[in-house]
Amino acid sequence: MKITVRSLTFDVVAGGPADGSPVLLLHGFPQHSGEWAAVTPLLHAAGLRTYALDQRGTSPGARPERVEDYRIAECALDAVAVLDALDISAVHLVGHDWGAVCAWHVALRHVERVKTLTAVSVPHPHASAFAYANDPDQKERSAYMKLFRQAGKAEQVLLEDGGRRLRALFEPFVEADPYVRPLLEPGALTPALNWYRAMSSLDLVGLGPAAVPTTYVWSDGDPAIGPTAARACAEHVTADYRFVPLAGISHWIPDEAPSALADAILARVAL
């Protein structure tokens, strides 16, 4: 389905029982809503209704030109506006990678709209900031962002040779083509990268601890998020909190470990 809100048109993949408790799924970079394809059938079987959103920069009808239009607060408002359009007052929220960052901001800035939060790979923003500032290992893991923030240079590097470096992000863990092919289309990669280019320390201003029941799912094979950030997440949740570490899994948890992730989501929703 297509949902037009905030002068943008978003693609949303809906599924599951029409009367099921709603779950909003937010994808990361360089992916799209298809990353949830192996997770949603398991949620549907448990009676949940899912909405997988192609976010700002990914939905072709939601690609504003200015970098500042990709500030995370704007992306969080998109999610809230989609819930309004769907007439959903509060939702079980699940996000992976940048989708997790967005989900944290929704849960922290629009707490009344979130029943539960399941954040995948990326911890609370203050946990990430702490690790980056204090842990040399995390700073090294995050070094790739410097390239992604370079307009023009990043596009050149990532798109050359048929997106060879984009494909290398996934392989050998996940089939890359379904995610890389859409980014090779003219004008597709820059809006997706603008999430990185819009990052600012101001994004942390006013963010307190999460006050909604929260599960954080992390994988020890994630090259981007290290154990310091993962362990620090617990300090930034005041409601019921569960940490679910997955051994031997890379960054692409929804693709690699859909059953384990679905179990974590269902355990959180059931509480």
Side-chain angles (χ1 to χ4, degrees), residues 29-30 67 97-98 141-155 157-158 165-166 169 189-199 224 252:
F29 177 87
V67 169
D97 187 82
W98 267 113
R141 289 171 184 261
S142 302
Y144 69 93
M145 293 187 186
K146 294 179 182 179
L147 170 63
F148 288 5
R149 286 170 62 85
Q150 294 181 53
K153 178 65 172 179
E155 284 85 345
V157 169
L158 294 175
R165 289 182 176 85
L166 280 173
L169 296 175
L189 181 58
T190 295
L193 287 169
N194 278 343
W195 286 58
Y196 291 94
R197 295 165 185 169
M199 286 191 311
W252 315 111

mmCIF file of all heavy atoms in Angstrom, residues 29-30 67 97-98 141-155 157-158 165-166 169 189-199 224 252:
data_model
loop_
_atom_site.group_PDB
_atom_site.id
_atom_site.type_symbol
_atom_site.label_atom_id
_atom_site.label_comp_id
_atom_site.label_asym_id
_atom_site.label_seq_id
_atom_site.Cartn_x
_atom_site.Cartn_y
_atom_site.Cartn_z
ATOM 1 N N PHE A 29 19.969 0.686 6.657
ATOM 2 C CA PHE A 29 20.765 0.913 5.439
ATOM 3 C C PHE A 29 21.747 -0.244 5.262
ATOM 4 O O PHE A 29 22.331 -0.702 6.247
ATOM 5 C CB PHE A 29 21.549 2.221 5.553
ATOM 6 C CG PHE A 29 22.452 2.494 4.376
ATOM 7 C CD1 PHE A 29 21.974 3.150 3.261
ATOM 8 C CD2 PHE A 29 23.772 2.069 4.391
ATOM 9 C CE1 PHE A 29 22.811 3.383 2.162
ATOM 10 C CE2 PHE A 29 24.602 2.299 3.304
ATOM 11 C CZ PHE A 29 24.120 2.950 2.186
ATOM 12 N N PRO A 30 21.979 -0.689 4.040
ATOM 13 C CA PRO A 30 21.386 -0.254 2.774
ATOM 14 C C PRO A 30 20.252 -1.181 2.352
ATOM 15 O O PRO A 30 20.287 -1.794 1.280
ATOM 16 C CB PRO A 30 22.576 -0.344 1.807
ATOM 17 C CG PRO A 30 23.379 -1.506 2.330
ATOM 18 C CD PRO A 30 23.138 -1.582 3.814
ATOM 19 N N VAL A 67 19.673 17.712 2.596
ATOM 20 C CA VAL A 67 20.233 16.804 3.597
ATOM 21 C C VAL A 67 19.532 16.975 4.932
ATOM 22 O O VAL A 67 19.223 15.995 5.624
ATOM 23 C CB VAL A 67 21.751 17.044 3.748
ATOM 24 C CG1 VAL A 67 22.299 16.311 4.966
ATOM 25 C CG2 VAL A 67 22.483 16.585 2.491
ATOM 26 N N ASP A 97 19.146 -1.422 12.583
ATOM 27 C CA ASP A 97 20.136 -0.503 12.034
ATOM 28 C C ASP A 97 19.595 0.928 12.145
ATOM 29 O O ASP A 97 19.165 1.328 13.225
ATOM 30 C CB ASP A 97 20.469 -0.921 10.595
ATOM 31 C CG ASP A 97 21.612 -0.139 9.965
ATOM 32 O OD1 ASP A 97 22.781 -0.488 10.216
ATOM 33 O OD2 ASP A 97 21.334 0.805 9.213
ATOM 34 N N TRP A 98 19.569 1.706 11.052
ATOM 35 C CA TRP A 98 18.993 3.049 11.132
ATOM 36 C C TRP A 98 17.537 2.996 11.566
ATOM 37 O O TRP A 98 17.025 3.918 12.207
ATOM 38 C CB TRP A 98 19.109 3.768 9.792
ATOM 39 C CG TRP A 98 20.333 4.612 9.662
ATOM 40 C CD1 TRP A 98 21.392 4.410 8.820
ATOM 41 C CD2 TRP A 98 20.640 5.804 10.395
ATOM 42 N NE1 TRP A 98 22.328 5.399 8.982
ATOM 43 C CE2 TRP A 98 21.893 6.272 9.946
ATOM 44 C CE3 TRP A 98 19.978 6.520 11.382
ATOM 45 C CZ2 TRP A 98 22.497 7.425 10.451
ATOM 46 C CZ3 TRP A 98 20.572 7.670 11.896
ATOM 47 C CH2 TRP A 98 21.812 8.108 11.432
ATOM 48 N N ARG A 141 35.206 0.747 14.492
ATOM 49 C CA ARG A 141 34.057 0.116 13.841
ATOM 50 C C ARG A 141 33.195 1.152 13.106
ATOM 51 O O ARG A 141 32.539 0.822 12.114
ATOM 52 C CB ARG A 141 33.194 -0.606 14.886
ATOM 53 C CG ARG A 141 33.807 -1.873 15.478
ATOM 54 C CD ARG A 141 32.971 -2.352 16.645
ATOM 55 N NE ARG A 141 33.533 -3.499 17.330
ATOM 56 C CZ ARG A 141 33.157 -4.765 17.142
ATOM 57 N NH1 ARG A 141 32.201 -5.042 16.269
ATOM 58 N NH2 ARG A 141 33.714 -5.747 17.811
ATOM 59 N N SER A 142 33.156 2.352 13.616
ATOM 60 C CA SER A 142 32.303 3.398 13.047
ATOM 61 C C SER A 142 32.999 4.230 11.973
ATOM 62 O O SER A 142 32.393 5.158 11.418
ATOM 63 C CB SER A 142 31.810 4.334 14.163
ATOM 64 O OG SER A 142 31.090 3.620 15.154
ATOM 65 N N ALA A 143 34.233 3.902 11.649
ATOM 66 C CA ALA A 143 35.013 4.725 10.725
ATOM 67 C C ALA A 143 34.387 4.799 9.340
ATOM 68 O O ALA A 143 34.576 5.782 8.617
ATOM 69 C CB ALA A 143 36.442 4.197 10.639
ATOM 70 N N TYR A 144 33.639 3.776 8.941
ATOM 71 C CA TYR A 144 33.028 3.757 7.616
ATOM 72 C C TYR A 144 32.079 4.942 7.407
ATOM 73 O O TYR A 144 31.841 5.371 6.269
ATOM 74 C CB TYR A 144 32.260 2.452 7.404
ATOM 75 C CG TYR A 144 31.016 2.315 8.241
ATOM 76 C CD1 TYR A 144 29.776 2.713 7.750
ATOM 77 C CD2 TYR A 144 31.071 1.804 9.538
ATOM 78 C CE1 TYR A 144 28.627 2.610 8.525
ATOM 79 C CE2 TYR A 144 29.947 1.703 10.326
ATOM 80 C CZ TYR A 144 28.723 2.107 9.808
ATOM 81 O OH TYR A 144 27.594 2.014 10.590
ATOM 82 N N MET A 145 31.543 5.483 8.481
ATOM 83 C CA MET A 145 30.595 6.586 8.356
ATOM 84 C C MET A 145 31.237 7.822 7.735
ATOM 85 O O MET A 145 30.556 8.628 7.110
ATOM 86 C CB MET A 145 29.996 6.936 9.716
ATOM 87 C CG MET A 145 29.106 5.869 10.303
ATOM 88 S SD MET A 145 28.301 6.455 11.808
ATOM 89 C CE MET A 145 27.473 4.954 12.349
ATOM 90 N N LYS A 146 32.555 7.978 7.912
ATOM 91 C CA LYS A 146 33.241 9.141 7.337
ATOM 92 C C LYS A 146 33.101 9.139 5.817
ATOM 93 O O LYS A 146 32.897 10.184 5.205
ATOM 94 C CB LYS A 146 34.702 9.144 7.757
ATOM 95 C CG LYS A 146 34.908 9.351 9.254
ATOM 96 C CD LYS A 146 36.382 9.318 9.624
ATOM 97 C CE LYS A 146 36.564 9.477 11.132
ATOM 98 N NZ LYS A 146 38.006 9.413 11.525
ATOM 99 N N LEU A 147 33.224 7.970 5.211
ATOM 100 C CA LEU A 147 33.025 7.873 3.768
ATOM 101 C C LEU A 147 31.575 8.142 3.406
ATOM 102 O O LEU A 147 31.282 8.922 2.491
ATOM 103 C CB LEU A 147 33.432 6.488 3.258
ATOM 104 C CG LEU A 147 33.049 6.183 1.800
ATOM 105 C CD1 LEU A 147 33.749 7.131 0.843
ATOM 106 C CD2 LEU A 147 33.344 4.732 1.456
ATOM 107 N N PHE A 148 30.653 7.525 4.123
ATOM 108 C CA PHE A 148 29.231 7.652 3.783
ATOM 109 C C PHE A 148 28.763 9.102 3.856
ATOM 110 O O PHE A 148 27.808 9.480 3.179
ATOM 111 C CB PHE A 148 28.386 6.789 4.719
ATOM 112 C CG PHE A 148 28.495 5.308 4.465
ATOM 113 C CD1 PHE A 148 29.364 4.793 3.533
ATOM 114 C CD2 PHE A 148 27.698 4.417 5.175
ATOM 115 C CE1 PHE A 148 29.453 3.432 3.296
ATOM 116 C CE2 PHE A 148 27.768 3.055 4.941
ATOM 117 C CZ PHE A 148 28.660 2.558 4.015
ATOM 118 N N ARG A 149 29.426 9.914 4.670
ATOM 119 C CA ARG A 149 29.018 11.311 4.834
ATOM 120 C C ARG A 149 29.591 12.225 3.745
ATOM 121 O O ARG A 149 29.226 13.400 3.683
ATOM 122 C CB ARG A 149 29.438 11.817 6.216
ATOM 123 C CG ARG A 149 28.564 11.256 7.335
ATOM 124 C CD ARG A 149 29.123 11.563 8.714
ATOM 125 N NE ARG A 149 29.213 12.977 9.020
ATOM 126 C CZ ARG A 149 28.224 13.712 9.511
ATOM 127 N NH1 ARG A 149 27.038 13.164 9.730
ATOM 128 N NH2 ARG A 149 28.409 14.986 9.796
ATOM 129 N N GLN A 150 30.458 11.703 2.897
ATOM 130 C CA GLN A 150 31.082 12.502 1.844
ATOM 131 C C GLN A 150 30.229 12.462 0.582
ATOM 132 O O GLN A 150 30.241 11.489 -0.161
ATOM 133 C CB GLN A 150 32.481 11.981 1.541
ATOM 134 C CG GLN A 150 33.459 12.140 2.690
ATOM 135 C CD GLN A 150 34.839 11.638 2.333
ATOM 136 O OE1 GLN A 150 35.419 12.031 1.325
ATOM 137 N NE2 GLN A 150 35.377 10.761 3.157
ATOM 138 N N ALA A 151 29.489 13.536 0.351
ATOM 139 C CA ALA A 151 28.605 13.599 -0.820
ATOM 140 C C ALA A 151 29.419 13.488 -2.099
ATOM 141 O O ALA A 151 30.433 14.163 -2.278
ATOM 142 C CB ALA A 151 27.820 14.903 -0.805
ATOM 143 N N GLY A 152 28.958 12.651 -2.992
ATOM 144 C CA GLY A 152 29.630 12.437 -4.261
ATOM 145 C C GLY A 152 30.677 11.346 -4.176
ATOM 146 O O GLY A 152 30.649 10.387 -4.953
ATOM 147 N N LYS A 153 31.614 11.477 -3.253
ATOM 148 C CA LYS A 153 32.666 10.478 -3.089
ATOM 149 C C LYS A 153 32.072 9.125 -2.696
ATOM 150 O O LYS A 153 32.447 8.088 -3.260
ATOM 151 C CB LYS A 153 33.663 10.942 -2.033
ATOM 152 C CG LYS A 153 34.779 9.938 -1.742
ATOM 153 C CD LYS A 153 35.674 9.723 -2.936
ATOM 154 C CE LYS A 153 36.885 8.871 -2.560
ATOM 155 N NZ LYS A 153 37.771 8.624 -3.723
ATOM 156 N N ALA A 154 31.162 9.128 -1.729
ATOM 157 C CA ALA A 154 30.561 7.865 -1.297
ATOM 158 C C ALA A 154 29.794 7.213 -2.436
ATOM 159 O O ALA A 154 29.885 5.994 -2.639
ATOM 160 C CB ALA A 154 29.640 8.107 -0.106
ATOM 161 N N GLU A 155 29.030 8.000 -3.178
ATOM 162 C CA GLU A 155 28.273 7.443 -4.300
ATOM 163 C C GLU A 155 29.221 6.817 -5.322
ATOM 164 O O GLU A 155 28.973 5.717 -5.831
ATOM 165 C CB GLU A 155 27.435 8.541 -4.975
ATOM 166 C CG GLU A 155 26.193 8.939 -4.189
ATOM 167 C CD GLU A 155 26.442 9.982 -3.135
ATOM 168 O OE1 GLU A 155 27.624 10.221 -2.788
ATOM 169 O OE2 GLU A 155 25.470 10.565 -2.636
ATOM 170 N N VAL A 157 32.278 5.618 -4.883
ATOM 171 C CA VAL A 157 32.921 4.410 -4.357
ATOM 172 C C VAL A 157 31.937 3.253 -4.272
ATOM 173 O O VAL A 157 32.255 2.115 -4.640
ATOM 174 C CB VAL A 157 33.540 4.709 -2.973
ATOM 175 C CG1 VAL A 157 33.980 3.414 -2.294
ATOM 176 C CG2 VAL A 157 34.707 5.665 -3.116
ATOM 177 N N LEU A 158 30.743 3.526 -3.802
ATOM 178 C CA LEU A 158 29.785 2.443 -3.552
ATOM 179 C C LEU A 158 29.110 1.940 -4.820
ATOM 180 O O LEU A 158 28.690 0.774 -4.879
ATOM 181 C CB LEU A 158 28.725 2.908 -2.553
ATOM 182 C CG LEU A 158 29.235 3.205 -1.142
ATOM 183 C CD1 LEU A 158 28.123 3.772 -0.282
ATOM 184 C CD2 LEU A 158 29.831 1.960 -0.488
ATOM 185 N N ARG A 165 31.181 -2.771 -3.736
ATOM 186 C CA ARG A 165 31.411 -2.564 -2.297
ATOM 187 C C ARG A 165 30.117 -2.645 -1.491
ATOM 188 O O ARG A 165 30.139 -3.079 -0.336
ATOM 189 C CB ARG A 165 32.124 -1.232 -2.073
ATOM 190 C CG ARG A 165 33.587 -1.260 -2.536
ATOM 191 C CD ARG A 165 34.282 0.058 -2.256
ATOM 192 N NE ARG A 165 35.691 0.010 -2.606
ATOM 193 C CZ ARG A 165 36.177 0.230 -3.824
ATOM 194 N NH1 ARG A 165 35.336 0.504 -4.830
ATOM 195 N NH2 ARG A 165 37.471 0.171 -4.060
ATOM 196 N N LEU A 166 29.019 -2.250 -2.084
ATOM 197 C CA LEU A 166 27.736 -2.457 -1.410
ATOM 198 C C LEU A 166 27.466 -3.945 -1.243
ATOM 199 O O LEU A 166 27.017 -4.396 -0.182
ATOM 200 C CB LEU A 166 26.608 -1.806 -2.208
ATOM 201 C CG LEU A 166 26.411 -0.297 -2.073
ATOM 202 C CD1 LEU A 166 25.376 0.185 -3.068
ATOM 203 C CD2 LEU A 166 26.011 0.082 -0.649
ATOM 204 N N LEU A 169 29.208 -5.647 1.625
ATOM 205 C CA LEU A 169 28.668 -5.459 2.969
ATOM 206 C C LEU A 169 27.839 -6.663 3.402
ATOM 207 O O LEU A 169 27.785 -7.002 4.586
ATOM 208 C CB LEU A 169 27.799 -4.202 3.018
ATOM 209 C CG LEU A 169 28.483 -2.859 2.762
ATOM 210 C CD1 LEU A 169 27.446 -1.749 2.730
ATOM 211 C CD2 LEU A 169 29.534 -2.572 3.821
ATOM 212 N N LEU A 189 20.648 6.125 -4.310
ATOM 213 C CA LEU A 189 21.609 5.962 -3.219
ATOM 214 C C LEU A 189 21.764 7.222 -2.376
ATOM 215 O O LEU A 189 21.847 7.147 -1.145
ATOM 216 C CB LEU A 189 22.970 5.535 -3.781
ATOM 217 C CG LEU A 189 24.076 5.302 -2.741
ATOM 218 C CD1 LEU A 189 23.655 4.248 -1.727
ATOM 219 C CD2 LEU A 189 25.381 4.893 -3.435
ATOM 220 N N THR A 190 21.799 8.375 -2.998
ATOM 221 C CA THR A 190 22.028 9.616 -2.245
ATOM 222 C C THR A 190 20.999 9.839 -1.139
ATOM 223 O O THR A 190 21.378 10.148 0.002
ATOM 224 C CB THR A 190 22.070 10.822 -3.201
ATOM 225 O OG1 THR A 190 23.206 10.679 -4.065
ATOM 226 C CG2 THR A 190 22.178 12.132 -2.436
ATOM 227 N N PRO A 191 19.692 9.696 -1.405
ATOM 228 C CA PRO A 191 18.738 9.884 -0.299
ATOM 229 C C PRO A 191 18.951 8.896 0.845
ATOM 230 O O PRO A 191 18.771 9.255 2.015
ATOM 231 C CB PRO A 191 17.372 9.669 -0.971
ATOM 232 C CG PRO A 191 17.614 9.923 -2.412
ATOM 233 C CD PRO A 191 19.005 9.462 -2.679
ATOM 234 N N ALA A 192 19.340 7.673 0.521
ATOM 235 C CA ALA A 192 19.594 6.689 1.573
ATOM 236 C C ALA A 192 20.803 7.088 2.414
ATOM 237 O O ALA A 192 20.813 6.925 3.639
ATOM 238 C CB ALA A 192 19.793 5.312 0.954
ATOM 239 N N LEU A 193 21.833 7.628 1.764
ATOM 240 C CA LEU A 193 23.027 8.067 2.486
ATOM 241 C C LEU A 193 22.797 9.345 3.267
ATOM 242 O O LEU A 193 23.551 9.661 4.202
ATOM 243 C CB LEU A 193 24.178 8.279 1.498
ATOM 244 C CG LEU A 193 24.804 7.015 0.918
ATOM 245 C CD1 LEU A 193 25.735 7.370 -0.234
ATOM 246 C CD2 LEU A 193 25.553 6.221 1.985
ATOM 247 N N ASN A 194 21.768 10.087 2.913
ATOM 248 C CA ASN A 194 21.520 11.360 3.604
ATOM 249 C C ASN A 194 21.198 11.175 5.081
ATOM 250 O O ASN A 194 21.329 12.124 5.869
ATOM 251 C CB ASN A 194 20.405 12.137 2.902
ATOM 252 C CG ASN A 194 20.920 12.902 1.696
ATOM 253 O OD1 ASN A 194 22.123 13.121 1.542
ATOM 254 N ND2 ASN A 194 20.010 13.311 0.817
ATOM 255 N N TRP A 195 20.776 9.988 5.485
ATOM 256 C CA TRP A 195 20.592 9.730 6.910
ATOM 257 C C TRP A 195 21.921 9.943 7.645
ATOM 258 O O TRP A 195 21.951 10.492 8.750
ATOM 259 C CB TRP A 195 20.084 8.314 7.135
ATOM 260 C CG TRP A 195 18.657 8.077 6.785
ATOM 261 C CD1 TRP A 195 18.057 8.262 5.582
ATOM 262 C CD2 TRP A 195 17.643 7.592 7.669
ATOM 263 N NE1 TRP A 195 16.729 7.915 5.645
ATOM 264 C CE2 TRP A 195 16.455 7.490 6.907
ATOM 265 C CE3 TRP A 195 17.622 7.201 9.001
ATOM 266 C CZ2 TRP A 195 15.248 7.033 7.458
ATOM 267 C CZ3 TRP A 195 16.420 6.738 9.546
ATOM 268 C CH2 TRP A 195 15.248 6.666 8.779
ATOM 269 N N TYR A 196 23.024 9.467 7.045
ATOM 270 C CA TYR A 196 24.343 9.650 7.650
ATOM 271 C C TYR A 196 24.758 11.119 7.601
ATOM 272 O O TYR A 196 25.337 11.636 8.561
ATOM 273 C CB TYR A 196 25.382 8.807 6.903
ATOM 274 C CG TYR A 196 25.210 7.327 7.087
ATOM 275 C CD1 TYR A 196 24.478 6.569 6.176
ATOM 276 C CD2 TYR A 196 25.781 6.667 8.173
ATOM 277 C CE1 TYR A 196 24.313 5.210 6.341
ATOM 278 C CE2 TYR A 196 25.623 5.296 8.346
ATOM 279 C CZ TYR A 196 24.890 4.575 7.427
ATOM 280 O OH TYR A 196 24.725 3.217 7.607
ATOM 281 N N ARG A 197 24.479 11.785 6.500
ATOM 282 C CA ARG A 197 24.928 13.160 6.312
ATOM 283 C C ARG A 197 24.164 14.148 7.182
ATOM 284 O O ARG A 197 24.639 15.250 7.455
ATOM 285 C CB ARG A 197 24.825 13.512 4.823
ATOM 286 C CG ARG A 197 25.788 12.675 4.002
ATOM 287 C CD ARG A 197 25.515 12.676 2.521
ATOM 288 N NE ARG A 197 26.428 11.734 1.871
ATOM 289 C CZ ARG A 197 26.321 11.328 0.619
ATOM 290 N NH1 ARG A 197 25.325 11.777 -0.136
ATOM 291 N NH2 ARG A 197 27.192 10.471 0.118
ATOM 292 N N ALA A 198 22.977 13.750 7.602
ATOM 293 C CA ALA A 198 22.166 14.620 8.459
ATOM 294 C C ALA A 198 22.461 14.416 9.941
ATOM 295 O O ALA A 198 21.934 15.151 10.777
ATOM 296 C CB ALA A 198 20.686 14.374 8.183
ATOM 297 N N MET A 199 23.302 13.457 10.282
ATOM 298 C CA MET A 199 23.611 13.194 11.693
ATOM 299 C C MET A 199 24.206 14.423 12.364
ATOM 300 O O MET A 199 25.005 15.138 11.773
ATOM 301 C CB MET A 199 24.622 12.046 11.819
ATOM 302 C CG MET A 199 24.087 10.682 11.553
ATOM 303 S SD MET A 199 25.277 9.380 12.035
ATOM 304 C CE MET A 199 26.789 9.920 11.279
ATOM 305 N N ALA A 224 29.847 -3.474 13.025
ATOM 306 C CA ALA A 224 29.572 -2.057 13.233
ATOM 307 C C ALA A 224 29.316 -1.697 14.685
ATOM 308 O O ALA A 224 29.599 -0.571 15.108
ATOM 309 C CB ALA A 224 28.377 -1.621 12.375
ATOM 310 N N TRP A 252 23.291 -8.536 9.908
ATOM 311 C CA TRP A 252 22.020 -8.660 9.179
ATOM 312 C C TRP A 252 21.089 -9.639 9.893
ATOM 313 O O TRP A 252 20.668 -10.655 9.346
ATOM 314 C CB TRP A 252 22.288 -9.090 7.739
ATOM 315 C CG TRP A 252 23.413 -8.310 7.131
ATOM 316 C CD1 TRP A 252 24.648 -8.769 6.791
ATOM 317 C CD2 TRP A 252 23.414 -6.907 6.820
ATOM 318 N NE1 TRP A 252 25.425 -7.754 6.288
ATOM 319 C CE2 TRP A 252 24.700 -6.598 6.294
ATOM 320 C CE3 TRP A 252 22.464 -5.890 6.942
ATOM 321 C CZ2 TRP A 252 25.042 -5.315 5.890
ATOM 322 C CZ3 TRP A 252 22.815 -4.610 6.541
ATOM 323 C CH2 TRP A 252 24.079 -4.324 6.010
#
